[in-house]
Amino acid sequence: MFLNLLQKNNPGLIDYGVFLLEHGIIEPDTYVIDLDGIEENAGRLAGLAGKYNIVLYFMAKQLGHNPEICRRVLAESGFTGMVAVDFREALILHSAGLPVRHLGHLCQVPQRQWDTALDMGPEVITIFSCEKARELSAAAKQRGIIQNVLLRIWDRGDIFYQGQEGGFPLDKLPQTLDLFMGLEGLRIAGVTSFPCFLYQSEQKISAATPNAGTLVRGADILRKHGILVSQINMPSGNSIATIPLAAELGATHLEPGHSLTGTNPDNLNEAVPLKPCMLYMSEVSHQHKDYSCCFGGGYYRRGNLANALVKTAAGYSECSVLAPDPQSIDYHLKLSGHFPAGAPVCMSFRTQIFVTRSRIALAEGLSQSRPALHSIWDSSGNKVS
């Protein structure tokens, strides 16, 4: 999906990825990430968000919770900290000394982990249910603190990905607020949902989902009940294209992720795109029938993987990729045509590194045409070399 954009706007990353593989410095099934490009994109996002008075939390799950990348992004003013979509991610980020500002969304804090969660000092914790609100209330009350919370709300017609359902129905929000008024240790700071923006492939634009409108209506209900709404958090698809739209709708906080690597879909249509700076490297394993197989491990089923470059003695050859169906493990990816075993394979697509078996190689100096390997990590944020 993004391979041609990478060829056009950051070809040095492709050449360096091939160099690392051919010299045995990295293994197949490794993402090579351009740190210079990450910093450039972070600066552009932070600068635009500042013009619209938007606060940014960084979502790093798709980059394997990588601490070095997180530190580079947070160095840009405008990014105030991290969002952790599940509790294990929060532990990884916190143990690396990174500020966890938002947790509980997309996944709630487990019942017996509230003390650990509060130790992280988050700005906000998202709550899906009255049961979770009572758990947090008890933990916060015991500590003698008041924890700001976001209510995850939904209405008929809103969109959920499977396995991400939950929250307070909009039509019952007034009764929910009455219940919260009786809970000590909590302060309602605002509302959130997911996904609030999605790419419309036919129109080739990113647009607000019904969820974003639900948040606007929910915030109005909170204000009518005398609640000071300090945060309307609209994650998903947060990019150069959607920051102005989010601000127009009333968002105060966004959570960029894929846009840091230039792998947000609307980046394909930008006149001045964010820099594509993530490359997936593999190598040909063997041939079978009329196709070749390369080593897998990093495939993500919603990544829209379509093509690859294979490096042979004759140069780079582009071919189609036949991705495995969702029921299969990605031991190999199929490449159209026959290529010699050991040939480097380059791909670029949307991913979620934290659910893969991949490694991450961080490169710097590409913007000065002096590439160097910074470090190699696993998919859970642990440094391996």
Side-chain angles (χ1 to χ4, degrees), residues 320-342:
S320 299
V321 179
L322 290 76
D325 62 54
Q327 287 75 38
S328 300
I329 299 172
D330 63 332
Y331 293 114
H332 299 95
L333 299 174
K334 298 178 183 179
L335 309 174
S336 60
H338 277 186
F339 299 99

Short mmCIF file of all heavy atoms in Angstrom, two decimals, residues 320-342:
data_model
loop_
_atom_site.label_atom_id
_atom_site.label_comp_id
_atom_site.label_asym_id
_atom_site.label_seq_id
_atom_site.Cartn_x
_atom_site.Cartn_y
_atom_site.Cartn_z
N SER A 320 3.51 -8.86 -6.88
CA SER A 320 2.33 -8.88 -6.01
C SER A 320 2.59 -9.80 -4.81
O SER A 320 3.35 -10.76 -4.89
CB SER A 320 1.10 -9.38 -6.79
OG SER A 320 0.82 -8.53 -7.88
N VAL A 321 1.92 -9.48 -3.70
CA VAL A 321 2.00 -10.30 -2.50
C VAL A 321 0.65 -10.95 -2.28
O VAL A 321 -0.39 -10.27 -2.28
CB VAL A 321 2.39 -9.47 -1.27
CG1 VAL A 321 2.44 -10.36 -0.02
CG2 VAL A 321 3.74 -8.80 -1.49
N LEU A 322 0.63 -12.26 -2.13
CA LEU A 322 -0.60 -12.98 -1.81
C LEU A 322 -0.59 -13.24 -0.30
O LEU A 322 0.08 -14.16 0.18
CB LEU A 322 -0.68 -14.29 -2.58
CG LEU A 322 -0.91 -14.19 -4.10
CD1 LEU A 322 0.39 -13.77 -4.81
CD2 LEU A 322 -1.39 -15.50 -4.66
N ALA A 323 -1.30 -12.41 0.44
CA ALA A 323 -1.28 -12.50 1.90
C ALA A 323 -2.08 -13.70 2.38
O ALA A 323 -3.04 -14.13 1.72
CB ALA A 323 -1.85 -11.22 2.50
N PRO A 324 -1.70 -14.27 3.52
CA PRO A 324 -2.47 -15.41 4.05
C PRO A 324 -3.85 -14.98 4.51
O PRO A 324 -4.07 -13.82 4.86
CB PRO A 324 -1.61 -15.88 5.23
CG PRO A 324 -0.85 -14.67 5.65
CD PRO A 324 -0.59 -13.90 4.39
N ASP A 325 -4.79 -15.93 4.49
CA ASP A 325 -6.12 -15.59 4.98
C ASP A 325 -6.08 -15.47 6.51
O ASP A 325 -5.14 -15.92 7.16
CB ASP A 325 -7.15 -16.63 4.54
CG ASP A 325 -6.87 -18.02 5.09
OD1 ASP A 325 -6.73 -18.16 6.32
OD2 ASP A 325 -6.81 -18.96 4.29
N PRO A 326 -7.09 -14.83 7.12
CA PRO A 326 -7.06 -14.57 8.57
C PRO A 326 -6.99 -15.82 9.43
O PRO A 326 -6.60 -15.74 10.60
CB PRO A 326 -8.38 -13.81 8.81
CG PRO A 326 -8.73 -13.22 7.50
CD PRO A 326 -8.25 -14.20 6.47
N GLN A 327 -7.35 -16.97 8.89
CA GLN A 327 -7.31 -18.22 9.67
C GLN A 327 -5.91 -18.84 9.73
O GLN A 327 -5.68 -19.79 10.46
CB GLN A 327 -8.28 -19.25 9.08
CG GLN A 327 -9.75 -18.94 9.34
CD GLN A 327 -10.27 -17.83 8.47
OE1 GLN A 327 -9.91 -17.73 7.30
NE2 GLN A 327 -11.12 -16.97 9.02
N SER A 328 -4.98 -18.29 8.96
CA SER A 328 -3.65 -18.90 8.85
C SER A 328 -2.60 -18.09 9.60
O SER A 328 -2.71 -16.88 9.75
CB SER A 328 -3.23 -19.01 7.37
OG SER A 328 -4.15 -19.81 6.65
N ILE A 329 -1.57 -18.77 10.05
CA ILE A 329 -0.41 -18.11 10.64
C ILE A 329 0.52 -17.69 9.51
O ILE A 329 0.74 -18.45 8.55
CB ILE A 329 0.32 -19.06 11.61
CG1 ILE A 329 -0.62 -19.45 12.76
CG2 ILE A 329 1.59 -18.42 12.17
CD1 ILE A 329 -0.06 -20.53 13.67
N ASP A 330 1.08 -16.51 9.61
CA ASP A 330 1.90 -15.99 8.51
C ASP A 330 3.33 -16.50 8.58
O ASP A 330 4.29 -15.72 8.66
CB ASP A 330 1.86 -14.46 8.47
CG ASP A 330 2.46 -13.82 9.72
OD1 ASP A 330 2.41 -14.45 10.80
OD2 ASP A 330 2.97 -12.69 9.63
N TYR A 331 3.50 -17.82 8.50
CA TYR A 331 4.85 -18.36 8.46
C TYR A 331 5.59 -17.86 7.22
O TYR A 331 6.78 -17.60 7.26
CB TYR A 331 4.80 -19.89 8.45
CG TYR A 331 4.29 -20.50 9.73
CD1 TYR A 331 3.09 -21.19 9.77
CD2 TYR A 331 5.02 -20.37 10.92
CE1 TYR A 331 2.62 -21.76 10.94
CE2 TYR A 331 4.55 -20.93 12.09
CZ TYR A 331 3.35 -21.62 12.11
OH TYR A 331 2.89 -22.17 13.27
N HIS A 332 4.85 -17.77 6.11
CA HIS A 332 5.41 -17.26 4.87
C HIS A 332 4.39 -16.33 4.21
O HIS A 332 3.19 -16.44 4.45
CB HIS A 332 5.76 -18.39 3.88
CG HIS A 332 6.78 -19.34 4.40
ND1 HIS A 332 6.44 -20.54 5.02
CD2 HIS A 332 8.13 -19.30 4.39
CE1 HIS A 332 7.54 -21.17 5.37
NE2 HIS A 332 8.59 -20.45 5.00
N LEU A 333 4.89 -15.46 3.35
CA LEU A 333 4.06 -14.65 2.48
C LEU A 333 4.39 -15.05 1.04
O LEU A 333 5.56 -15.29 0.71
CB LEU A 333 4.33 -13.15 2.68
CG LEU A 333 4.06 -12.61 4.09
CD1 LEU A 333 4.51 -11.16 4.19
CD2 LEU A 333 2.59 -12.74 4.45
N LYS A 334 3.37 -15.13 0.20
CA LYS A 334 3.56 -15.58 -1.17
C LYS A 334 3.85 -14.39 -2.09
O LYS A 334 3.16 -13.37 -2.03
CB LYS A 334 2.31 -16.30 -1.67
CG LYS A 334 1.95 -17.55 -0.88
CD LYS A 334 0.67 -18.16 -1.43
CE LYS A 334 0.23 -19.38 -0.64
NZ LYS A 334 -1.04 -19.95 -1.16
N LEU A 335 4.84 -14.55 -2.95
CA LEU A 335 5.23 -13.54 -3.93
C LEU A 335 4.97 -14.08 -5.32
O LEU A 335 5.37 -15.20 -5.64
CB LEU A 335 6.71 -13.19 -3.79
CG LEU A 335 7.22 -12.82 -2.39
CD1 LEU A 335 8.73 -12.66 -2.42
CD2 LEU A 335 6.54 -11.57 -1.88
N SER A 336 4.32 -13.29 -6.17
CA SER A 336 4.08 -13.74 -7.53
C SER A 336 5.40 -13.84 -8.30
O SER A 336 6.19 -12.90 -8.31
CB SER A 336 3.12 -12.77 -8.24
OG SER A 336 3.67 -11.47 -8.29
N GLY A 337 5.64 -14.98 -8.88
CA GLY A 337 6.87 -15.19 -9.64
C GLY A 337 7.91 -15.97 -8.87
O GLY A 337 7.78 -16.22 -7.68
N HIS A 338 8.95 -16.40 -9.57
CA HIS A 338 10.05 -17.16 -8.97
C HIS A 338 11.25 -16.24 -8.73
O HIS A 338 11.70 -15.54 -9.65
CB HIS A 338 10.46 -18.31 -9.88
CG HIS A 338 9.60 -19.51 -9.72
ND1 HIS A 338 9.87 -20.71 -10.35
CD2 HIS A 338 8.47 -19.72 -8.97
CE1 HIS A 338 8.94 -21.60 -10.02
NE2 HIS A 338 8.08 -21.01 -9.20
N PHE A 339 11.76 -16.26 -7.50
CA PHE A 339 12.93 -15.47 -7.12
C PHE A 339 13.89 -16.38 -6.36
O PHE A 339 13.48 -17.34 -5.70
CB PHE A 339 12.53 -14.28 -6.25
CG PHE A 339 11.60 -13.32 -6.92
CD1 PHE A 339 10.23 -13.37 -6.66
CD2 PHE A 339 12.07 -12.38 -7.82
CE1 PHE A 339 9.36 -12.48 -7.28
CE2 PHE A 339 11.20 -11.50 -8.45
CZ PHE A 339 9.84 -11.55 -8.19
N PRO A 340 15.19 -16.10 -6.44
CA PRO A 340 16.17 -17.00 -5.80
C PRO A 340 16.10 -16.93 -4.29
O PRO A 340 15.83 -15.88 -3.70
CB PRO A 340 17.51 -16.46 -6.31
CG PRO A 340 17.25 -15.05 -6.70
CD PRO A 340 15.84 -15.01 -7.20
N ALA A 341 16.33 -18.06 -3.65
CA ALA A 341 16.36 -18.12 -2.19
C ALA A 341 17.42 -17.16 -1.66
O ALA A 341 18.52 -17.05 -2.21
CB ALA A 341 16.66 -19.54 -1.73
N GLY A 342 17.08 -16.45 -0.60
CA GLY A 342 17.99 -15.49 0.00
C GLY A 342 17.85 -14.08 -0.53
O GLY A 342 18.44 -13.15 0.03
#
